Amino acid sequence: MPLTPGLVANIPQVAPPEAAKEPEADVIVESADTGVDRPEMDDVGNILKIEHADGSVSVSIDGSPIERAAGAAGNGGWFDNLVDRIDDFELSRISDELVRGIEEDIESRKDWIEDRAQGMRLLGLKLEVPGLGGSAEGAPVEGMSRVRHPLLLEAVLRFQANARSELLPVDGPVKVRNDGNNANYDEDMLANYLEKDLNHYLTDTASEYYPDTDRMLLMLGFGGTAFKKIYYCPLRNRPVSETVDADDLVVNNSATDLRNAKRITHRSFMKPSTIKRLQILGVYRDVELGQPGMAHLDSVQREKAAQQGIQVSTFNPDDRDREIYECYCELEIKGFEHHFKGKPTGLEIPYCVTIDVSSKRILSIVRNYDESDELPEARTNIVKYTFVPGMGFYDVGLLNILGNTTNAVTAAWREMLDAGMYSNFPGFLLSDSGGRQNTNIFRVPPGGGALVKTGGMPISQAIMPLPYKDPSQALMNLVENMAQTGMRIGGTSEQQVGEGRADAPVGTTLDRKSTRLNSSHVSESRMPSSA
């Protein structure tokens, strides 16, 4: 009796010889030659037994539906790569539809990307020294100030420092507590051992967890949205929790959360050698991808490179990373249709599809739902972190809260610095006794000059003196008020409210509520078990 994967037994229907003894079996199968397969189902419609027309019988030994075992047969595992079992025409259709949809998702958040890139400039992490080349932001005069107020940067760093102390303590981030009513010493010790093991894993084995999470907290406070991707890494051979920047997680802004998003795409860049290793391990399809093309960087990716002072584009194909789309989506794939009560439903079910962007070749298609799901729901692979809930998918961060204020204070700072510079090093004009003046635009830097055609007249009679003056006290007070307002708004998230307040006076509503909860807990604990 040969067994197929999924614990399904194919029992050939062969008549025993007359002299043979009665077989010692738990089940004796009798079938009539009807010319068609006859399935037997349970109460919910799962097929547990099929009597085939050729006289053989398929029986589920472990009670699982036969159609599910038949779908898993031959692939070695439920979450293995299915791409080699799908024809090329179907793969091309899936790739074209997904790439087209991902490009539309990227276009739908174009304004959000531009705001995020502008916000990175407001952080002032890149040195901008006034020079003879003028200002990169189109300042009309050479040598004008390019300083930025650190209001936004201060708020982001303060949030990161506070969050790090809470979420990444030295002894480990995991705290395990046994809340069972019948907890005993053995269970408490088991909880302590679990806490120690998990903390050891996150601090020693997964050595990338702490710096990676610290980087995520910086971007969470800045942009308001951050993500963690939890998966099993075949190269490191262990579970991994890694940060995915909001710029690299492409979700259409019409979605309100990850669960109702039609597509979730993780955009990443991999070395060709890494892809080759995954192909050797069988994680990716072993197919020729050709030379990687030039990466099409958006505004945020270019601004990140500019803040670090690096050049990300290279003309040498051997030095380019391959751009990869890992798309979590719902598909109806020919040959892997969803069945319910033995009938195809046409339901699109969750998959994870990996696509090489340059060649548009699909590298892997993996089921993204549990084998026991009758109506498949997507597994949780991405975890979203939120600073302040927004009106759409992307949330509100300190960039949105303090961006305009930082712009205003920065402009006021520059005006005061430039006014002081011109007051100490005023510009001047030179009289040129020549003929006609070719322009009426004069760009006089601090301590610099320009020629003016006066036609022989005294220069004091030809033009009016430049109106330089010291910064006023009113302007200084305005700048200070804007900075204080911004710091107050930016520090709202750090205000202790509710149970976090240590200075709550006795007799408040909070304390009375806590007293009622504690007294209720005591009274319940004193009640007899029969009650």
Side-chain angles (χ1 to χ4, degrees), residues 178-192:
N178 189 357
D179 290 336
N181 294 329
N182 299 320
N184 52 39
Y185 176 79
D186 293 336
E187 292 180 352
D188 290 340
M189 292 301 298
L190 182 62
N192 292 333

Side-chain angles (χ1 to χ4, degrees), residues 356-410:
D356 176 69
V357 177
S358 299
S359 62
K360 295 186 178 181
R361 303 288 296 272
I362 293 181
L363 299 176
S364 72
I365 298 180
V366 179
R367 296 181 180 92
N368 191 35
Y369 60 96
D370 293 327
E371 187 176 0
S372 59
D373 293 346
E374 294 184 356
L375 295 176
E377 293 286 343
R379 291 159 55 92
T380 301
N381 303 283
I382 306 293
V383 179
K384 182 182 179 184
Y385 293 80
T386 297
F387 185 79
V388 176
M391 292 175 285
F393 177 78
Y394 296 104
D395 300 306
V396 175
L398 290 169
L399 166 62
N400 310 97
I401 297 172
L402 299 178
N404 292 327
T405 305
T406 304
N407 263 329
V409 179
T410 295

Side-chain angles (χ1 to χ4, degrees), residues 96-354:
D96 292 341
E97 291 181 358
L98 288 181
V99 170
R100 191 184 310 113
I102 294 171
E103 291 176 351
E104 293 176 357
D105 294 341
I106 293 175
E107 184 66 23
S108 70
R109 62 174 197 164
K110 185 176 181 180
D111 293 340
W112 178 83
I113 288 291
E114 295 296 333
D115 292 342
R116 192 175 178 87
Q118 177 64 26
M120 289 185 176
R121 302 187 193 101
L122 291 179
L123 290 175
L125 298 176
K126 183 176 177 60
L127 295 179
E128 296 177 292
V129 180
L132 297 179
S135 174
E137 297 180 356
V141 179
E142 295 178 352
M144 288 186 66
S145 175
R146 298 165 68 180
V147 68
R148 296 185 185 276
H149 196 282
L151 175 63
L152 177 60
L153 180 61
E154 179 186 359
V156 171
L157 293 178
R158 187 168 60 244
F159 169 80
Q160 181 194 22
N162 292 336
R164 176 185 171 85
S165 64
E166 293 291 336
L167 299 179
L168 300 175
V170 177
D171 55 348
V174 179
K175 303 295 180 184
V176 178
R177 185 179 66 185
N178 189 357
D179 290 336
N181 294 329
N182 299 320
N184 52 39
Y185 176 79
D186 293 336
E187 292 180 352
D188 290 340
M189 292 301 298
L190 182 62
N192 292 333
Y193 293 148
L194 176 61
E195 178 179 325
K196 291 181 180 179
D197 290 343
L198 289 175
N199 283 324
H200 174 76
Y201 179 82
L202 294 177
T203 56
D204 185 74
T205 304
S207 57
E208 77 282 352
Y209 179 80
Y210 263 53
D212 182 75
T213 304
D214 198 13
R215 189 181 306 110
M216 181 203 72
L217 295 176
L218 175 69
M219 300 307 296
L220 172 60
F222 166 71
T225 305
F227 302 93
K228 278 276 193 176
K229 179 182 176 183
I230 297 92
Y231 66 102
Y232 185 87
C233 179
L235 297 179
R236 285 172 278 191
N237 198 28
R238 58 177 173 84
V240 172
S241 172
E242 289 185 342
T243 297
V244 178
D245 189 75
D247 174 51
D248 294 325
L249 196 80
V250 183
V251 179
N252 192 289
N253 202 36
S254 61
T256 56
D257 55 30
L258 290 172
R259 184 163 293 276
N260 65 20
K262 183 176 179 60
R263 283 179 302 273
I264 304 172
T265 305
H266 176 205
R267 178 179 57 190
S268 60
F269 294 87
M270 292 186 184
K271 295 187 300 182
S273 59
T274 301
I275 294 180
K276 190 62 179 177
R277 288 186 176 93
L278 293 173
Q279 289 177 332
I280 294 173
L281 293 176
V283 179
Y284 286 170
R285 182 188 186 190
D286 191 3
V287 62
E288 183 62 34
L289 301 177
Q291 292 288 350
M294 294 286 291
H296 301 286
L297 304 179
D298 57 29
S299 300
V300 172
Q301 292 170 324
R302 291 193 296 268
E303 188 60 34
K304 285 181 182 178
Q307 294 291 330
Q308 302 176 70
I310 61 175
Q311 181 70 29
V312 294
S313 300
T314 176
F315 294 99
N316 184 4
D318 296 333
D319 293 337
R320 298 175 189 163
D321 292 338
R322 302 201 73 95
E323 187 175 4
I324 301 296
Y325 287 162
E326 188 175 83
C327 183
Y328 299 90
C329 56
E330 294 182 341
L331 300 172
E332 184 180 10
I333 302 177
K334 184 178 180 181
F336 294 88
E337 296 86 355
H338 175 256
H339 291 76
F340 186 73
K341 295 184 179 180
K343 299 179 181 179
T345 62
L347 176 67
E348 294 182 340
I349 52 181
Y351 290 95
C352 177
V353 183
T354 305

